[in-house]
Short mmCIF file of all heavy atoms in Angstrom, two decimals:
data_model
loop_
_atom_site.label_atom_id
_atom_site.label_comp_id
_atom_site.label_asym_id
_atom_site.label_seq_id
_atom_site.Cartn_x
_atom_site.Cartn_y
_atom_site.Cartn_z
N GLY O 321 0.75 -1.27 -0.02
CA GLY O 321 -0.04 0.03 -0.03
C GLY O 321 0.81 1.29 -0.01
O GLY O 321 0.33 2.37 0.10
N ARG O 322 2.15 1.17 -0.13
CA ARG O 322 3.00 2.27 -0.21
C ARG O 322 3.16 2.82 -1.61
O ARG O 322 3.00 2.05 -2.59
CB ARG O 322 4.38 2.00 0.41
CG ARG O 322 4.23 1.53 1.87
CD ARG O 322 5.56 1.39 2.55
NE ARG O 322 5.32 0.80 3.88
CZ ARG O 322 6.28 0.91 4.88
NH1 ARG O 322 7.45 1.53 4.66
NH2 ARG O 322 5.99 0.38 6.06
N ARG O 323 3.41 4.11 -1.75
CA ARG O 323 3.42 4.70 -3.11
C ARG O 323 4.85 4.87 -3.67
O ARG O 323 5.70 5.29 -2.88
CB ARG O 323 2.67 6.04 -3.03
CG ARG O 323 1.20 5.91 -2.84
CD ARG O 323 0.40 7.16 -2.85
NE ARG O 323 -1.00 6.86 -2.83
CZ ARG O 323 -1.77 6.81 -4.01
NH1 ARG O 323 -1.18 7.10 -5.14
NH2 ARG O 323 -3.05 6.49 -3.98
N LEU O 324 4.91 4.61 -4.97
CA LEU O 324 6.18 4.82 -5.61
C LEU O 324 5.96 6.07 -6.50
O LEU O 324 5.13 6.11 -7.37
CB LEU O 324 6.58 3.59 -6.51
CG LEU O 324 7.08 2.39 -5.81
CD1 LEU O 324 5.93 1.53 -5.21
CD2 LEU O 324 7.84 1.53 -6.75
N VAL O 325 6.83 7.08 -6.22
CA VAL O 325 6.61 8.36 -6.89
C VAL O 325 7.61 8.54 -8.03
O VAL O 325 8.64 7.86 -8.09
CB VAL O 325 6.76 9.58 -5.92
CG1 VAL O 325 5.75 9.55 -4.81
CG2 VAL O 325 8.17 9.56 -5.33
N TYR O 326 7.20 9.37 -9.00
CA TYR O 326 7.99 9.61 -10.19
C TYR O 326 9.30 10.24 -9.76
O TYR O 326 9.35 11.22 -9.02
CB TYR O 326 7.27 10.40 -11.23
CG TYR O 326 8.15 10.88 -12.39
CD1 TYR O 326 8.52 10.00 -13.36
CD2 TYR O 326 8.59 12.23 -12.42
CE1 TYR O 326 9.35 10.44 -14.44
CE2 TYR O 326 9.37 12.65 -13.45
CZ TYR O 326 9.75 11.74 -14.45
OH TYR O 326 10.56 12.17 -15.50
N VAL O 327 10.48 9.73 -10.36
CA VAL O 327 11.77 10.26 -10.02
C VAL O 327 12.35 10.98 -11.26
O VAL O 327 12.83 12.14 -11.21
CB VAL O 327 12.71 9.17 -9.51
CG1 VAL O 327 14.11 9.75 -9.26
CG2 VAL O 327 12.17 8.49 -8.23
N GLU O 328 12.49 10.19 -12.39
CA GLU O 328 13.09 10.79 -13.56
C GLU O 328 12.74 9.96 -14.79
O GLU O 328 12.23 8.84 -14.68
CB GLU O 328 14.64 10.76 -13.33
CG GLU O 328 15.27 9.40 -13.16
CD GLU O 328 16.67 9.45 -12.90
OE1 GLU O 328 17.38 10.37 -13.20
OE2 GLU O 328 17.19 8.40 -12.23
N THR O 329 13.07 10.50 -16.00
CA THR O 329 12.95 9.83 -17.27
C THR O 329 14.34 9.73 -17.86
O THR O 329 15.03 10.73 -17.92
CB THR O 329 11.99 10.54 -18.19
OG1 THR O 329 10.71 10.61 -17.59
CG2 THR O 329 11.86 9.79 -19.57
N LYS O 330 14.64 8.56 -18.24
CA LYS O 330 16.07 8.39 -18.86
C LYS O 330 15.94 7.62 -20.25
O LYS O 330 14.98 6.89 -20.46
CB LYS O 330 16.87 7.47 -18.01
CG LYS O 330 17.45 8.12 -16.78
CD LYS O 330 18.38 7.12 -16.08
CE LYS O 330 19.06 7.77 -14.91
NZ LYS O 330 19.96 6.71 -14.24
N PRO O 331 16.80 7.96 -21.20
CA PRO O 331 16.85 7.25 -22.43
C PRO O 331 17.31 5.80 -22.18
O PRO O 331 18.09 5.52 -21.30
CB PRO O 331 17.85 7.98 -23.31
CG PRO O 331 18.73 8.78 -22.34
CD PRO O 331 17.83 9.04 -21.14
N TYR O 332 16.81 4.90 -22.97
CA TYR O 332 17.05 3.44 -22.82
C TYR O 332 17.54 2.90 -24.20
O TYR O 332 16.77 3.04 -25.11
CB TYR O 332 15.87 2.65 -22.28
CG TYR O 332 16.11 1.21 -22.11
CD1 TYR O 332 16.74 0.64 -21.05
CD2 TYR O 332 15.68 0.34 -23.15
CE1 TYR O 332 16.93 -0.73 -20.94
CE2 TYR O 332 15.88 -1.03 -23.06
CZ TYR O 332 16.53 -1.53 -21.95
OH TYR O 332 16.72 -2.87 -21.92
N ALA O 333 18.69 2.30 -24.20
CA ALA O 333 19.19 1.70 -25.46
C ALA O 333 19.18 0.22 -25.35
O ALA O 333 19.72 -0.40 -24.42
CB ALA O 333 20.59 2.21 -25.80
N SER O 334 18.56 -0.41 -26.35
CA SER O 334 18.59 -1.92 -26.36
C SER O 334 19.90 -2.44 -26.83
O SER O 334 20.77 -1.64 -27.22
CB SER O 334 17.44 -2.46 -27.26
OG SER O 334 17.77 -2.12 -28.64
N TRP O 335 20.16 -3.72 -26.78
CA TRP O 335 21.48 -4.31 -27.22
C TRP O 335 21.88 -3.95 -28.62
O TRP O 335 23.07 -3.89 -28.95
CB TRP O 335 21.45 -5.83 -27.02
CG TRP O 335 20.47 -6.56 -27.84
CD1 TRP O 335 19.18 -6.79 -27.53
CD2 TRP O 335 20.68 -7.01 -29.26
NE1 TRP O 335 18.57 -7.37 -28.70
CE2 TRP O 335 19.48 -7.54 -29.74
CE3 TRP O 335 21.77 -7.08 -30.10
CZ2 TRP O 335 19.35 -8.12 -30.99
CZ3 TRP O 335 21.64 -7.61 -31.34
CH2 TRP O 335 20.40 -8.15 -31.74
N ASN O 336 20.83 -3.66 -29.48
CA ASN O 336 21.17 -3.37 -30.90
C ASN O 336 21.17 -1.88 -31.16
O ASN O 336 21.11 -1.45 -32.33
CB ASN O 336 20.31 -4.12 -31.88
CG ASN O 336 18.82 -3.77 -31.76
OD1 ASN O 336 18.43 -3.14 -30.71
ND2 ASN O 336 18.08 -4.09 -32.70
N GLY O 337 21.00 -1.05 -30.13
CA GLY O 337 21.06 0.42 -30.26
C GLY O 337 19.68 1.11 -30.46
O GLY O 337 19.64 2.32 -30.67
N TYR O 338 18.62 0.38 -30.36
CA TYR O 338 17.27 1.00 -30.43
C TYR O 338 17.01 1.90 -29.25
O TYR O 338 17.08 1.44 -28.11
CB TYR O 338 16.20 -0.07 -30.62
CG TYR O 338 14.76 0.47 -30.62
CD1 TYR O 338 14.27 1.09 -31.77
CD2 TYR O 338 14.01 0.47 -29.44
CE1 TYR O 338 12.99 1.64 -31.76
CE2 TYR O 338 12.69 0.97 -29.48
CZ TYR O 338 12.18 1.58 -30.63
OH TYR O 338 10.97 2.05 -30.61
N LEU O 339 16.66 3.12 -29.41
CA LEU O 339 16.45 4.10 -28.37
C LEU O 339 14.99 4.21 -27.98
O LEU O 339 14.17 4.40 -28.86
CB LEU O 339 17.05 5.45 -28.77
CG LEU O 339 18.63 5.56 -28.69
CD1 LEU O 339 19.03 6.94 -29.28
CD2 LEU O 339 19.14 5.37 -27.32
N SER O 340 14.70 4.21 -26.70
CA SER O 340 13.38 4.49 -26.21
C SER O 340 13.57 5.19 -24.83
O SER O 340 14.67 5.62 -24.53
CB SER O 340 12.59 3.13 -26.06
OG SER O 340 13.18 2.29 -25.19
N GLU O 341 12.40 5.32 -24.16
CA GLU O 341 12.48 6.03 -22.86
C GLU O 341 11.98 5.20 -21.76
O GLU O 341 11.03 4.34 -21.96
CB GLU O 341 11.62 7.31 -22.94
CG GLU O 341 12.29 8.41 -23.54
CD GLU O 341 11.48 9.77 -23.42
OE1 GLU O 341 10.33 9.70 -23.03
OE2 GLU O 341 12.10 10.83 -23.69
N ARG O 342 12.54 5.30 -20.56
CA ARG O 342 12.01 4.59 -19.40
C ARG O 342 11.76 5.63 -18.27
O ARG O 342 12.57 6.48 -18.03
CB ARG O 342 13.01 3.54 -18.90
CG ARG O 342 13.33 2.38 -19.80
CD ARG O 342 12.13 1.42 -19.83
NE ARG O 342 12.37 0.25 -20.61
CZ ARG O 342 12.13 0.18 -21.90
NH1 ARG O 342 11.72 1.18 -22.60
NH2 ARG O 342 12.37 -0.95 -22.57
N ARG O 343 10.63 5.52 -17.61
CA ARG O 343 10.26 6.31 -16.52
C ARG O 343 10.59 5.57 -15.20
O ARG O 343 10.23 4.41 -15.09
CB ARG O 343 8.78 6.74 -16.57
CG ARG O 343 8.44 7.71 -17.66
CD ARG O 343 6.99 8.02 -17.83
NE ARG O 343 6.44 8.70 -16.57
CZ ARG O 343 6.45 9.97 -16.43
NH1 ARG O 343 6.94 10.76 -17.31
NH2 ARG O 343 5.89 10.55 -15.33
N TYR O 344 11.23 6.18 -14.28
CA TYR O 344 11.66 5.60 -13.05
C TYR O 344 10.81 6.06 -11.86
O TYR O 344 10.56 7.35 -11.73
CB TYR O 344 13.12 5.88 -12.75
CG TYR O 344 14.05 5.16 -13.69
CD1 TYR O 344 14.34 5.66 -14.94
CD2 TYR O 344 14.65 3.98 -13.32
CE1 TYR O 344 15.21 4.97 -15.82
CE2 TYR O 344 15.50 3.31 -14.17
CZ TYR O 344 15.69 3.77 -15.47
OH TYR O 344 16.52 3.11 -16.33
N TYR O 345 10.42 5.12 -11.03
CA TYR O 345 9.57 5.42 -9.83
C TYR O 345 10.20 4.78 -8.62
O TYR O 345 10.77 3.68 -8.73
CB TYR O 345 8.09 4.85 -10.02
CG TYR O 345 7.31 5.55 -11.10
CD1 TYR O 345 7.54 5.19 -12.45
CD2 TYR O 345 6.42 6.58 -10.82
CE1 TYR O 345 6.90 5.83 -13.44
CE2 TYR O 345 5.68 7.21 -11.86
CZ TYR O 345 5.91 6.82 -13.15
OH TYR O 345 5.28 7.43 -14.20
N GLU O 346 10.11 5.52 -7.54
CA GLU O 346 10.79 4.95 -6.29
C GLU O 346 9.83 5.12 -5.11
O GLU O 346 9.12 6.12 -4.98
CB GLU O 346 12.07 5.73 -6.05
CG GLU O 346 12.93 5.16 -4.83
CD GLU O 346 14.25 5.85 -4.66
OE1 GLU O 346 14.95 6.04 -5.69
OE2 GLU O 346 14.60 6.10 -3.50
#
């Protein structure tokens, strides 16, 4: 029941170089 709040957004690169975004919550 505890809340994970938004921390940051970072670029994410797959093993073959495809770029996307990941949002991080803590």
